[in-house]
Amino acid sequence: VYIQLASFKHKANALKLKKQLSKEGFTNTILTEKNNGFKIIVGPYKSTTEAELTANKITKKTDLKPLLIASNN
């Protein structure tokens, strides 16, 4: 399970958020590029419960609204 945090048109904005999240202790952030856009994703997590706990922490520390996404594995 992964957590999608944001999607950006410009890579610089995505990198800025990734850096901010690292400072907040979320060091397992991933920057993906698809269809001329950049997504910030956190994970993977072994369970939905673990992902939900992290999503709640992210919500408390930021203005983001995390979205849980299933892994393709």
Side-chain angles (χ1 to χ4, degrees):
V1 178
Y2 290 87
I3 305 168
Q4 181 178 324
L5 298 176
S7 181
F8 297 96
K9 184 175 182 180
H10 301 287
K11 187 174 185 177
N13 294 337
L15 290 172
K16 183 178 176 181
L17 176 59
K18 187 176 187 312
K19 185 176 179 180
Q20 175 191 349
L21 290 166
S22 291
K23 287 181 181 178
E24 291 288 344
F26 303 104
T27 56
N28 59 338
T29 56
I30 303 165
L31 175 64
T32 64
E33 182 176 0
K34 189 173 183 181
N35 299 329
N36 296 321
F38 301 90
K39 292 181 181 179
I40 297 294
I41 296 172
V42 181
Y45 295 94
K46 294 179 183 178
S47 69
T48 301
T49 302
E50 184 181 6
E52 287 173 342
L53 289 171
T54 301
N56 288 336
K57 289 178 187 176
I58 291 169
T59 300
K60 288 178 183 177
K61 290 188 173 193
T62 68
D63 292 333
L64 301 172
K65 295 180 180 164
L67 173 68
L68 270 60
I69 53 175
S71 114
N72 292 334
N73 297 342

